[in-house]
Every structure is written in C-alpha cells, then in structure tokens.
C-alpha cells in the first residue's frame, strides 16, 4: 500500500486536480446501488454499512464526507491489496466494483492518503469466486493480461541491470540515460506490484512517502533514492552502489511473484483507473520524478498499461456498454496524441524534460487525464453487468 505525502503547495494543486478527476464522475457514479456496501469516509472514521455480505461481485458505494482527499482499500489479513480506489476528493463519491472471494478482510479509509488508515473488519460469505460468473471472454482477458504483466516484469530486469551496472561503475551519465527506461515495465503494471503490499515501498517510494519514524538515510531504497543521488547529489558512492544491489534484488523478487498475483476482470479494470490516478497525483504535478524530470516517460507507460487492460476487456465491455467503449476509445486516442506532442523521438521513449512543460501545457495534460479518468472509472461496472 503506497504512502503518499505531498508538500503544502503541491497538495493544494493536487487537491484541485483530484476534484476534477474524481468529482464530476463520482458524484453521478456512487448512487448506492441495490446490494451495495456503503462506506462513509471521514477525517476520523470509516463507517461501513455491512460487516458481513456475500462474496462474488461486490460493489462499494464510497462517499468522502471528510475535509481531506482519501483512499479506500479492501485488504487481505496480511495487508495485500484486494482492490482500492485512491484520490477520492472531499465531498465526492466513488463506486468500486470488485470480484472478492469468501473470507475475512479489512476495509480501510486513509484520510490524507497517509498511514495505515482507519480500519473496519468485514467478512464475505458464500461460494466466493464461484458466485462471480465469468464468460470465456473474461477468462481470455485475464489469461492474456497475466501474460502481459509477466512479460513486462521479465523485460524490466535487463533494463534495470543496465541502470544498476552504471551506478555500480560510478558512471553518472550512463546511469541517468538508463534510469527512465528501466522504469517503463513497472509503470505499465504498477497496480499488480502494489497488490503485494511490500514491494512497492521498497522500490518506488519517494522520500516524502516514507512512513512516520522511518529514517531516509537507512530506510529509503529504490529508484527514487538513486534518482536523487544522480540528479541532485551528483555522486555515486559506496552507499549508492549498495542501493543498486538492493534494487536488483527487490525487483527480482517482484518478477518471481508476479505469476502468483490475483487477477480478475474487475481488478484489471480498477487497475486501469489506478494508473490514471497515478498520473494525476504524480506525473501531472511533477512530483514523481522531481529530480530527473522524466515524468512524461512514466506518464506514457501508465497510459499504455491502462489501455492494455481496457483493450483486453473490450470484447466484454462492448457487449454490455458500447457507448462507454466508444468514449474510452476516443479519450485514449486523444490523450496519446497529446502525449506524442512531447515525444522528441517517435521511435523510442524520449520525451521533453517535464521542467520545460509550462503551466498551460500541464493544464492541457491534466484536462486530458480527467477526460479519460471519468469514463474509465465505469469500466469495472460495465464488465460485470
């Protein structure tokens, strides 16, 4: 479960952006459908309408009545993520549709998107996955996405090794050149990595995302720690070389575990929305790659990952909601065209440095994300109609 802490200035800007991303769509989206479990998130409480309900296709109707942007998670007992919805702005609503097996779980609300959250224990009863009927098209989509995620993970390791070898050699310029490309496979499939709970904080956390009590000098590892060393500190010493070894080890662990990830049609759809949330909170604001300014590479990879899930689910969604599919096709095309304006080499992942993207251009990118995020938030419900 990611921890995100924003600077005061960025938090204000992000809150405005999140209202645009989540507010309009979610106000019309969370209407407490029949059988839905209502979750009322406040700054000091997380109220769940039912503590026991049937497994299968579950709908959570979430309303944020607090003053802070919040997140809502469904977690396994060991804190692995079943499903989540981030960036729910104050006064807005969201509907989360997920396929969940029978068992004991925790629903957590995270006001301010920090910490372990305010938690409620719930129990899902019945046949579990068996009660969530899947068509052959759904099974095909899950199988194809599982192959895609594994392929992205497998392809990441050699690219990371180019990066970490340069760090170990003390070659700052070579490491800088390899940095952004080493992250593409991760960014395309990040919701799957986040579902494991413990890998994402090791490899992709920013300094202000460390938990309270953690020491950056001892506890901060991963890509962004090395990013700071390369672009801000401008030095690669023994500590950085050790961090390169740790990054290799942690990502090798990720690759081994990807094949065991729980993947369902709804987790694919919700993951696509999560990737757009990643763009809204990290890439558009410039927070993600604050030293390297390679945000647009991550941005493009997030969009590609979201589009892959959508494309695989399209046969099912087209049967259930053809208008939604047409709108998603339109908005994906528009956002990709907008991103390509900043691609300095059309045959590779070379984009304009984000520090050169002005406020008006960032607003245009944000508007493109918002236009896609609104219909994408409805994909999971369309898949299980």
């Amino acid at each position: 479960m990611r921890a995100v802490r924003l600077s005061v200035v960025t938090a204000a800007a992000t809150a405005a952006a999140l209202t645009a991303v989540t507010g309009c769509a979610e106000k019309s989206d969370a209407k407490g459908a029949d059988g839905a479990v209502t979750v009322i998130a406040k700054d000091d409480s997380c109220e769940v309408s039912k503590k026991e309900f049937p497994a299968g296709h579950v709908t959570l109707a979430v309303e944020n009545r607090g003053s802070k942007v919040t997140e809502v998670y469904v977690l396994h007992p060991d804190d692995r993520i079943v499903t989540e919805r981030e960036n729910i702005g104050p006064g807005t609503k969201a509907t989360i549709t997920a396929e969940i097996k029978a068992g004991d779980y925790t629903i957590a609300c995270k006001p301010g998107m920090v910490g372990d959250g305010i938690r409620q224990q719930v129990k899902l009863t019945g046949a579990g996955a068996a009660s969530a009927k899947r068509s052959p098209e759904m099974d095909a989509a899950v199988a194809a996405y599982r192959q895609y995620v594994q392929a992205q993970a497998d392809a990441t390791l050699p690219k990371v090794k180019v990066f970490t070898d340069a760090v170990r050699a003390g070659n700052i310029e070579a490491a800088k050149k390899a940095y952004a490309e080493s992250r593409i496979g991760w960014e395309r499939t990040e919701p799957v990595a986040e579902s494991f709970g413990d890998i994402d904080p090791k490899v992709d956390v920013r300094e202000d995302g460390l938990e309270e009590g953690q020491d950056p000098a001892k506890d901060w590892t991963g890509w962004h720690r090395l990013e700071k060393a390369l672009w801000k500190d401008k030095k690669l010493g023994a500590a950085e070389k050790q961090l390169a070894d740790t990054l290799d080890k942690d990502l090798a662990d990720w690759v081994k575990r990807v094949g065991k990830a729980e993947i369902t049609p709804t987790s694919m759809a919700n993951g696509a929305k999560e990737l757009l949330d990643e763009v809204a909170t990290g890439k558009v604001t410039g927070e993600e790659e604050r030293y390297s300014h390679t945000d647009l590479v991550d941005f493009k990879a997030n969009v590609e990952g979201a589009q892959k899930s959508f494309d695989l689910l399209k046969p099912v969604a087209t049967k259930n909601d053809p208008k939604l599919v047409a709108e998603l096709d339109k908005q994906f095309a528009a956002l990709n065209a907008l991103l390509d304006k900043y691609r300095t080499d059309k045959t590779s992942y070379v984009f304009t440095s984000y520090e050169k993207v002005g406020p008006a251009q960032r607003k245009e990118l944000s508007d493109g994300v918002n236009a896609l995020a609104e219909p994408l938030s409805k994909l999971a419900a369309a898949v299980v109609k």
Side-chain angles (χ1 to χ4, degrees):
M1 195 165 26
R2 283 184 310 113
V4 179
R5 289 193 178 91
L6 305 176
S7 66
V8 174
V9 173
T10 305
T14 301
L18 292 178
T19 299
V21 171
T22 62
C24 179
E26 311 298 1
K27 283 181 179 176
S28 62
D29 199 20
K31 300 200 176 184
D34 290 344
V37 177
T38 301
V39 180
I40 305 298
K42 301 179 182 179
D43 293 345
D44 57 359
S45 65
C46 184
E47 302 170 7
V48 180
S49 63
K50 302 175 184 178
K51 299 299 176 65
E52 186 171 312
F53 45 92
H57 288 139
V58 176
T59 300
L60 301 181
V62 181
E63 181 177 355
N64 183 3
R65 294 185 185 174
S67 62
K68 304 173 182 177
V69 175
T70 197
E71 303 170 334
V72 173
Y73 291 81
V74 179
L75 302 168
H76 288 284
D78 60 1
D79 268 10
R80 285 178 297 117
I81 298 172
V82 180
T83 190
E84 65 180 297
R85 180 61 57 85
E86 301 177 353
N87 312 321
I88 305 170
T92 65
K93 299 179 181 181
T95 298
I96 307 171
T97 302
E99 182 179 321
I100 309 178
K101 297 178 182 178
D104 295 322
Y105 298 90
T106 298
I107 293 179
C109 304
K110 294 180 64 178
M113 302 195 297
V114 296
D116 291 332
I118 303 165
R119 300 183 168 212
Q120 296 286 352
Q121 304 302 311
V122 296
K123 185 178 186 68
L124 275 69
T125 60
S131 64
K133 295 180 180 179
R134 289 190 195 169
S135 65
E137 292 91 344
M138 284 186 179
D139 285 337
V142 169
Y145 187 67
R146 188 177 295 281
Q147 290 180 346
Y148 171 75
V149 171
Q150 187 67 63
Q152 291 299 312
D154 290 341
T156 294
L157 285 189
K159 293 178 180 178
V160 169
K161 190 172 185 303
V162 173
F163 171 62
T164 54
D165 280 351
V167 172
R168 283 185 285 265
N171 191 331
I172 290 177
E173 291 308 312
K176 284 183 175 181
K177 184 177 180 181
Y179 171 77
E181 188 171 356
S182 76
R183 291 175 50 74
I184 292 172
W186 172 272
E187 291 290 339
R188 285 173 176 159
T189 61
E190 191 168 1
V192 174
E194 288 182 353
S195 71
F196 298 122
D198 61 332
I199 295 178
D200 185 82
K202 293 178 181 178
V203 305
D204 198 35
V205 73
R206 304 192 298 264
E207 185 173 9
D208 53 359
L210 294 173
E211 296 292 344
E212 186 175 351
Q214 287 188 304
D215 181 356
K218 298 178 181 178
D219 302 317
W220 187 20
T221 59
W223 270 300
H224 294 302
R225 174 63 185 86
L226 290 168
E227 178 203 6
K228 182 174 184 253
L230 290 166
W231 274 272
K232 185 177 181 182
D233 302 335
K234 299 180 180 179
K235 66 176 183 179
L236 295 175
E240 286 72 32
K241 293 172 184 180
Q242 181 61 49
L243 285 166
D245 292 342
T246 301
L247 181 60
D248 284 338
K249 179 182 176 182
D250 289 337
L251 288 173
D253 181 35
W254 163 58
V255 171
K256 289 178 182 178
R257 291 164 66 178
V258 159
K260 301 176 183 177
E262 288 188 30
I263 297 175
T264 66
T266 54
S267 75
M268 291 167 60
N270 289 327
K273 176 60 167 62
E274 289 164 30
L275 285 170
L276 264 290
D277 289 344
E278 289 279 339
V279 173
T281 58
K283 284 68 175 185
V284 170
T285 62
E287 286 283 290
E288 180 80 4
E289 306 290 358
R290 63 191 65 174
Y291 306 112
S292 66
H293 306 297
T294 56
D295 303 88
L296 289 173
V297 178
D298 291 357
F299 192 144
K300 179 67 173 178
N302 285 158
V303 173
E304 286 178 338
Q307 187 162 10
K308 183 67 175 181
S309 291
F310 166 59
D311 287 342
L312 291 174
L313 293 170
K314 191 182 294 188
V316 177
T318 298
K319 290 181 180 180
N320 296 337
D321 197 337
K323 289 183 178 180
L324 177 65
V325 169
E327 180 65 17
L328 284 168
D329 278 332
K330 174 185 173 183
Q331 296 302 337
F332 268 116
L335 185 55
N336 278 311
L338 185 57
L339 277 169
D340 282 345
K341 289 169 55 177
Y342 301 95
R343 204 166 187 165
T344 57
D345 181 346
K346 304 301 182 184
T347 63
S348 65
Y349 271 75
V350 181
F351 285 82
T352 301
S353 175
Y354 203 58
E355 62 185 339
K356 297 180 181 178
V357 179
Q361 295 168 307
R362 293 188 184 200
K363 174 65 164 58
E364 184 181 31
L365 287 166
S366 179
D367 289 345
V369 173
N370 298 346
L372 174 57
E374 188 275 325
L376 197 57
S377 68
K378 301 175 183 178
L379 181 58
V383 166
V384 299
K385 274 186 178 179

